[in-house]
Amino acid sequence: MFAEVIVDIAHSDVDKIFDYACGEGIVAGMRVAVPFGKGTAAGFVIRVKSATDVPPEKLKNIYRALDQFPALNPECLSLAQKIAARYRVPLALSLRLFLPAEMRTGKVSEVYKTYAKLVGDPAEVPPKAKAQRALAEFLSENGEQETSELRKRFGAAVNALIKRGLVVPEKKRRMRDPYGGKRAEQEEHILTPAQSEAVRRIQTTDKTVTLLHGVTGSGKTEIYLSLIASELEKGKSAIFLVPEISLTPQMFTQLRARFGGEAAILHSGLSAGERYDEWRRLREGDAHIAVGARSAVFAPLENIGIIVIDEEHDGSYSSESSPRYNTFDIALLRARHNGCKVVLGSATPSVETYRRAEAGEFELISLPDRINARPMPEVRIVDMRREVRRGNPTPFSLLLRERLKECLAEGNQAILFLNRRGHSQTVMCRDCGNVLKCEHCDVALTYHSDENCLKCHYCGSRYKMPEACPACGGKHIAYMGTGTQKVVRELSSLFPSARVLRMDMDTTSGKEGHYRILNRFAAREADILVGTQMVAKGHDFPGVTLVGILDADMSLHFPDYRSGERTFQLITQVAGRSGRAENKGEVVLQTYDPGNYILRFAANYDYEGFYEHEIGMRAAMMFPPFSKIVRVMVTGEDEKETLACLKEAYDALSVLYENNRDKFLFFNRMHSPVKKIQNRVRYQILMRLLEGAPLKEVYDAVSPLGRKNVLVYVEENPSNLS
Ligand code: ADP
Ligand code: ZN
C-alpha cells in the first residue's frame, strides 16, 4: 500500500503531497514519522492508495505511526484542505488546527494505572490468610481498584492474591479530570413557552442558521442546553462555543451538572495534559459535547447534531494568527457536512449577522423579555460636561455617588465599568464633548506623539494637532481615559469601608486570574467590582443592583468603523449585569455626549432602532457589510527587505486594482499606524473592496511573497487596524 503524506512543516516549499510505501495499519488521518531529506519528519496521512507513480527505487517507507489511532477523522481532513485553499496557507498549518498543540510537541504522556480485579470467589482464600481474605472480600464488594491504593491498605496480600490467580492486574489509561471536584446540583428548568417555541423553531426551520436574538437574561443558555440534550438523545454530538472569557467555573459547573462526563471542556486554563485528555475523550467518543472558545470548532467529533455560537458578536471569534479564519465560516462548513443546524445567540448581534437574518438568509428568533418578566434595569443618562462645569473633578457624577451610597447601605453589590480598550489616544474637547474625526472617513483620529500629529487609520490622512476645539473654540482639549487604578483610589476615599475589587489586564494575568476575581465577587467578598471590558461579559451575579458606566462614549471614538456597534454592545452587556435576581437593578450611564444616538438606543434597549440607524450609516459610508476591508500586512525586522517585499506585493496588487477599478473603493500602501512591534517594522496595503472583487486573487498574489524574514498576510475586516 501507499500513503499520501503532508509533512508537518509549515512552509510553502514543502506544501505538497509526498508518496510513501506503508503497511496495513496505516490509514488516512494518522500522524506518522517518515524519512524526509536527511532526517525524520512528522507527517499526516491524507490518503491511502494501491498504486503510485513514484518509481520503486525512489520510494521510501513510512517509519511508523505516531499514534494508535487516526488523529483526524475524514471530515476534519477534508475541512483542513478547504481551509488551506480558502486562506492560502500550507496544508500542514490548517491540519494543526485540529490537534491539541501538546500532541504535536509530544509533551504529554498518557497516564496509565494498574487496577486489580477479582476473578474468583473470596471463599477460595484459606481462612488462615486473613489479610488476603479481607482483600478478596473488599474487591468483591467494591469492584476493581487501583493496586497502588490496595497495597497501602493490604500490603503483601495483593501480590499473594495475584499469585494465587484470584486477582488479575490490568493496566488502564486514566483520564485527568480537570473538574473532578466541582460537581453541583443544578435544577433543570422547565422551559417557558417562549423558550419551547424557540427550540421548536430552531429544530424545524429549513434554514441551516438561526439567529437567536434575546435580551440579557432571556434564558438563551437554557435553550442551547435543551437543543444539545435533544441531539444527544438522538445519539448525536454537539459543539458549544463561547468567548474564552465566558468559560467560567460557574459555566463548567452548570454543564457538568447537566451532562456529566458527556461534556469535554477545552480551554486555555487547563494544563497540557488535561487538554489532551479532554480532546481524546471527544475523539474516542467517550464525550459528545465539545465546549470551548473558537478553537473548539475544530473538535474531533463525528455525527454532529448542532453547533451553538454564544455571544456571536464577540471579537474573539476571529483568529488573529494564521490562518485568520472566522469561526462562523468554519461552523457553517461543518454544519453542511453533517447536515446539522447552527445557532447564533446574542443580545446584541453584529450588524453583519443581523442583516443576513433580516434578509431571510438566517431564521430570526427574538426573545424581547427576561425570564419571569423581570424588568430590564432602568438606565439614567448623566451629562458629564455639567459635572465639569459644576467643579466636580472626580470620575463619579453626583447621581452615581448617591446611588452607590444607597446600594452599599442596602448591602447590595455594584459594578463600575470603564469603557476603554488598550491605550486610547483619541482627542476630545472636555467643554463640548467634540471628538476630532477624519474628514474623509468619519472615524476618530488618533494622536501620534512621535510626529505630534493626528492620523486616520483608515485612509492615512494626517492632521495638525489643533490649539483649540474646532467646534466650540474651547481650550480644554484632552486625551480621553481614566485608569481603573485611579477609580479605585477615588472610591476608597469616598467610601472608605467599601471592599473594592479591580479587574483589568494588570490584575488578571496568570492562568486563572480573572476566575479568581469573579469568584471572589460572586462569593460576596467585595462590594464593588471596578473593571474594563472583561466585566461586561455574561456573568450572573445576583447581588448586583447597580452598574455605573463611567465613560460611556469612550469606545464611540475608537478609530474603527465598528466603534458605534461596539459601544452599543458593551453598554447593553454591562447594563445586563444589573438586577438579575429579585432586586430591581439600575444603571447610571455617564457621558460627554448625552445626545448621542447610540447611547440613546442602548439606554432604551432598542436594538432595532440602533440597527436601522447603523446600517444606514454603513451604507452611506460604504463600510462593511457593504464593502470588505482587506489589509495586506508586510512585517519584518529589516526595513529594506520589508520594503522590497511591500513593493512586490503592491505591484502585484496594482495589476488587480487596474483591472478591477470599479470593485475597489480604496487602494493604497502605507506605514501601519503602529510602525513597529517587537522590533518588526510594519507596512500595509489597505483596500476596501466591493462585492465581486477578486478576493481570492488577492490571496494568490501576495501569499507566495513571504520569505524567511518577512511575513506577509491578508486580513479581512480586521477588528483592529493598529
Ligand atoms: P441569557 O443567556 O439569555 O442571558 P440565562 O440563560 O443566563 O439568560 O438565564 C437568565 C436566568 O434565568 C438564569 O439565572 C437562569 O437560570 C434562569 N432561567 C433560564 N430559563 C429558565 C426557566 N425556564 N425557568 C426559570 N428560570 C430560568
Ligand atoms: Zn480617513
Side-chain angles (χ1 to χ4, degrees):
M1 299 293 277
F2 307 95
E4 295 184 350
V5 172
I6 289 284
V7 290
D8 191 8
I9 299 170
H11 197 286
S12 51
D13 290 352
V14 295
D15 186 27
K16 49 182 164 253
I17 286 170
F18 296 94
D19 280 6
Y20 287 89
C22 69
E24 282 294 307
I26 300 295
V27 297
M30 259 187 175
R31 295 191 316 133
V32 289
V34 294
F36 193 74
K38 290 197 175 72
T40 306
F44 297 93
V45 177
I46 299 300
R47 199 161 78 96
V48 173
K49 56 191 180 183
S50 52
T52 175
D53 299 334
V54 180
E57 68 278 10
K58 286 211 170 145
L59 199 68
K60 293 181 185 154
N61 273 302
I62 284 180
Y63 286 141
R64 65 197 159 86
L66 289 173
D67 313 298
Q68 282 154 5
F69 56 95
L72 292 126
N73 68 31
E75 184 207 346
C76 293
L77 260 182
S78 95
L79 195 52
Q81 282 161 331
K82 283 185 193 140
I83 292 168
R86 164 72 171 80
Y87 298 100
R88 270 292 228 141
V89 294
L91 187 50
L93 209 57
S94 71
L95 286 163
R96 287 178 190 173
L97 294 170
F98 292 85
L99 303 178
E102 27 290 311
M103 189 165 175
R104 288 184 47 248
T105 50
K107 290 219 181 79
V108 279
S109 52
E110 294 175 348
V111 182
Y112 284 92
K113 289 261 155 128
T114 310
Y115 289 79
K117 189 172 162 191
L118 185 73
V119 288
D121 190 314
E124 293 171 45
V125 184
K128 267 197 304 185
K130 280 203 177 112
Q132 292 178 38
R133 186 76 176 245
L135 170 58
E137 273 160 9
F138 178 77
L139 287 175
S140 140
E141 271 166 36
N142 297 294
E144 62 178 34
Q145 302 287 322
E146 253 179 58
T147 40
S148 58
E149 293 299 315
L150 294 174
R151 284 207 176 90
K152 282 186 208 149
R153 238 175 109 176
F154 298 96
V158 179
N159 282 1
L161 276 194
I162 291 174
K163 239 177 164 175
R164 277 186 200 278
L166 272 180
V167 160
V168 288
E170 202 176 14
K171 259 196 173 183
K172 282 194 181 173
R173 189 150 60 87
R174 191 182 66 100
M175 290 296 188
R176 287 156 280 222
D177 179 358
Y179 313 100
K182 306 170 187 164
R183 207 152 289 186
E185 279 308 307
Q186 170 93 16
E187 83 264 39
E188 193 180 315
H189 297 299
I190 297 168
L191 295 187
T192 63
Q195 286 172 321
S196 312
E197 174 62 10
V199 168
R200 192 194 62 78
R201 274 179 63 191
I202 293 166
Q203 287 173 336
T204 53
T205 173
D206 53 6
K207 290 171 185 156
T208 302
V209 182
T210 298
L211 170 60
L212 184 59
H213 173 213
V215 297
T216 54
S218 57
K220 295 186 291 296
T221 310
E222 203 61 40
I223 295 176
Y224 307 144
L225 299 184
S226 33
L227 287 165
I228 291 170
S230 131
E231 293 308 317
L232 232 53
E233 267 166 35
K234 289 187 245 166
K236 298 202 172 186
S237 62
I239 297 179
F240 183 14
L241 303 174
V242 297
E244 179 84 39
I245 200 112
S246 316
L247 284 167
T248 58
Q250 285 141 290
M251 170 143 222
F252 303 153
T253 314
Q254 194 178 3
L255 286 164
R256 278 296 158 119
R258 182 79 175 255
F259 297 113
E262 280 289 3
I265 301 168
L266 308 160
H267 77 103
S268 60
L270 300 182
S271 73
E274 287 166 347
R275 216 167 21 221
Y276 175 72
D277 284 353
E278 289 292 270
W279 184 89
R280 277 293 297 270
R281 296 202 304 120
L282 292 167
R283 179 71 187 103
E284 287 172 8
D286 290 338
H288 293 91
I289 310 169
V291 185
R294 66 164 180 259
S295 61
V297 77
F298 301 107
L301 288 169
E302 278 160 40
N303 202 8
I304 300 171
I306 192 149
I307 303 175
V308 175
I309 306 183
D310 189 24
E311 309 281 359
E312 70 84 27
H313 61 275
D314 196 272
S316 70
Y317 287 121
S318 302
S319 165
E320 300 212 318
S321 59
S322 183
R324 291 174 166 72
Y325 63 88
N326 176 326
T327 305
F328 173 66
D329 295 342
I330 311 285
L332 203 54
L333 288 173
R334 296 203 78 170
R336 296 234 167 85
H337 182 97
N338 287 275
C340 77
K341 300 277 166 67
V342 178
V343 178
L344 304 175
S346 178
T348 52
S350 72
V351 168
E352 282 91 338
T353 302
Y354 199 78
R355 183 160 180 260
R356 291 168 81 171
E358 229 200 359
E361 184 183 346
F362 306 157
E363 183 79 18
L364 176 60
I365 301 178
S366 294
L367 300 171
D369 302 311
R370 282 188 159 181
I371 291 284
N372 295 334
R374 257 174 226 142
M376 298 300 287
E378 194 185 321
V379 182
R380 312 258 316 246
I381 296 183
V382 177
D383 183 350
M384 288 306 275
R385 295 171 306 183
R386 283 181 52 191
E387 302 285 324
V388 172
R389 268 179 249 143
R390 263 189 209 168
N392 171 11
T394 72
F396 317 110
S397 59
L398 285 178
L399 179 74
L400 181 57
R401 260 193 268 179
E402 229 169 73
R403 290 294 190 262
L404 262 174
K405 202 165 136 194
E406 286 166 19
C407 171
L408 295 173
E410 284 161 15
N412 292 321
Q413 289 177 297
I415 293 178
L416 296 184
F417 172 61
L418 273 139
N419 189 7
R420 48 179 232 142
R421 223 172 36 172
H423 298 280
S424 163
Q425 284 147 324
T426 311
V427 183
M428 181 187 72
C429 170
R430 302 240 309 174
D431 291 328
C432 75
N434 179 44
V435 168
L436 303 180
K437 291 190 170 179
C438 175
E439 288 162 18
H440 315 293
C441 305
D442 196 35
V443 161
L445 296 172
T446 302
Y447 178 66
H448 287 249
S449 55
D450 51 346
E451 295 167 64
N452 189 32
C453 75
L454 297 162
K455 280 191 197 170
C456 170
H457 287 187
Y458 279 79
C459 71
S461 297
R462 299 156 56 100
Y463 299 82
K464 241 176 58 194
M465 179 75 188
E467 310 257 297
C469 170
C472 77
K475 293 276 164 67
H476 294 108
I477 293 189
Y479 307 114
M480 300 168 74
T482 316
T484 42
Q485 261 167 311
K486 181 165 172 219
V487 171
V488 171
R489 233 181 6 249
E490 304 252 353
L491 269 180
S492 55
S493 67
L494 281 176
F495 303 102
S497 60
R499 298 164 303 163
V500 181
L501 266 177
R502 183 178 132 215
M503 180 161 165
D504 56 23
M505 279 305 198
D506 301 330
T507 56
T508 54
S509 57
K511 204 166 103 170
E512 298 200 326
H514 69 271
Y515 300 155
R516 223 179 39 239
I517 296 174
L518 293 173
N519 277 341
R520 289 182 56 196
F521 192 60
R524 298 255 186 159
E525 286 175 34
D527 308 305
I528 307 176
L529 176 64
V530 177
T532 50
Q533 267 61 340
M534 294 174 195
V535 304
K537 303 296 164 69
H539 317 296
D540 207 353
F541 301 115
V544 173
T545 55
L546 175 67
V547 164
I549 303 173
L550 298 187
D551 42 11
D553 35 357
M554 177 69 92
S555 63
L556 273 179
H557 309 305
F558 242 80
D560 182 341
Y561 71 92
R562 270 181 291 215
S563 58
E565 177 177 358
R566 290 269 157 76
T567 305
F568 183 86
Q569 286 164 351
L570 274 168
I571 291 178
T572 310
Q573 297 288 337
V574 74
R577 300 309 111 219
S578 184
R580 289 174 75 88
E582 294 75 37
N583 296 327
K584 199 165 168 293
E586 190 173 21
V587 179
V588 175
L589 188 157
Q590 304 186 159
T591 169
Y592 286 91
D593 188 8
N596 186 284
Y597 76 96
I598 298 263
L599 303 184
R600 296 265 153 202
F601 288 130
N604 293 323
Y605 301 100
D606 182 4
Y607 178 85
E608 281 79 11
F610 152 77
Y611 171 78
E612 287 306 329
H613 195 289
E614 184 69 22
I615 202 81
M617 292 265 296
R618 300 274 182 99
M621 300 305 294
M622 289 308 275
F623 272 128
F626 300 95
S627 65
K628 187 168 243 178
I629 292 171
V630 177
R631 169 160 88 160
V632 174
M633 283 296 296
V634 184
T635 80
E637 288 193 11
D638 183 78
E639 176 101 34
K640 245 172 135 180
E641 205 182 344
T642 310
L643 275 173
C645 198
L646 175 75
K647 183 169 186 314
E648 273 181 56
Y650 185 75
D651 290 345
L653 292 173
S654 295
V655 177
L656 279 182
Y657 171 62
E658 291 303 336
N659 293 335
N660 299 274
R661 280 211 170 201
D662 57 325
K663 299 283 186 255
F664 280 69
L665 287 172
F666 183 84
F667 175 66
N668 210 349
R669 66 180 145 173
M670 59 189 86
H671 252 303
S672 294
V674 179
K675 288 183 192 162
K676 218 176 202 185
I677 293 181
Q678 289 172 338
N679 273 329
R680 297 177 75 93
V681 293
R682 307 168 83 236
Y683 287 94
Q684 66 188 27
I685 300 166
L686 209 52
M687 290 165 270
R688 205 140 29 106
L689 306 181
L690 288 174
E691 183 77 45
L695 181 61
K696 192 179 170 299
E697 287 77 1
V698 170
Y699 278 95
D700 289 342
V702 304
S703 300
L705 300 180
R707 39 188 104 168
K708 198 155 160 247
N709 300 314
V710 185
L711 203 62
V712 181
Y713 58 85
V714 184
E715 292 173 312
E716 297 174 38
N717 292 340
S719 57
N720 180 351
L721 268 188
S722 56

